[in-house]
Amino acid sequence: MRSLADIIDSSGDSILETYAYANGFLTVKLTLGTTEQKVELAMPTEHLSFDAFCLAKKEDLYRTCRIVIQDLSQVISVANGVYVPAPDFGKLMQQAKANYNLAYGKKASHWKYLFSLIGYGHLVSCLLSDLEAVSIVELAE
């Protein structure tokens, strides 16, 4: 079985096939760009964002993406144990565009990462507490 790091490394030019959120889990199916391998990732989360415009399109152009996982402590300030927005308006808008706003007001000790599928825009983003909780299934062609 492939590791999450391996999936991320080979995720450039991947195609988002399907996505779903149910019972506290975000599930995405991707065809990895470098190997054409189909994988399904499932991750527990309560906080997510979808780009309805891109996801409503059937053309591969809009669904081409790569996986990016950002350590939130490296990009968002923490005050009193929770993530807080940037005080500067320009930086605040950059954070919102990158979906870091999902973490505002959340406990930094619990929500540590932002998982994103980035392509034409931020197709799907969600907060993760533990990277080990992401399950990976390699699908038959």
Side-chain angles (χ1 to χ4, degrees):
M1 178 183 299
R2 299 173 74 168
S3 70
L4 182 58
D6 184 39
I7 299 291
I8 292 169
D9 287 344
S10 56
S11 72
D13 291 331
S14 293
I15 304 295
L16 175 61
E17 301 294 341
T18 63
Y19 63 96
Y21 181 75
N23 301 318
F25 279 84
L26 171 63
T27 304
V28 294
K29 292 182 184 174
L30 299 168
T31 301
L32 299 176
T34 58
T35 62
E36 302 275 324
Q37 171 70 47
K38 293 184 186 289
V39 296
E40 178 181 271
L41 305 175
M43 57 211 79
T45 189
E46 299 168 13
H47 310 284
L48 57 149
S49 173
F50 294 102
D51 182 345
F53 173 78
C54 291
L55 295 174
K57 305 289 184 183
K58 297 300 178 196
E59 297 88 357
D60 286 353
L61 165 70
Y62 293 102
R63 294 174 163 277
T64 300
C65 60
R66 70 186 188 284
I67 299 171
V68 175
I69 297 180
Q70 184 68 52
D71 181 341
L72 290 169
S73 68
Q74 302 298 312
V75 293
I76 303 177
S77 297
V78 176
N80 298 320
V82 298
Y83 294 110
V84 294
D88 173 77
F89 179 74
K91 289 181 182 175
L92 173 68
M93 297 312 305
Q94 289 174 343
Q95 288 179 351
K97 184 177 179 182
N99 287 334
Y100 296 152
N101 59 310
L102 290 172
Y104 296 163
K106 307 296 184 293
K107 289 185 178 184
S109 62
H110 183 71
W111 299 106
K112 297 179 182 176
Y113 305 98
L114 180 74
F115 171 93
S116 295
L117 297 178
I118 300 174
Y120 192 76
H122 282 72
L123 303 181
V124 177
S125 295
C126 73
L127 296 182
L128 297 175
S129 59
D130 182 9
L131 296 181
E132 298 295 319
V134 177
S135 70
I136 301 166
V137 176
E138 295 182 40
L139 304 172
E141 299 275 330

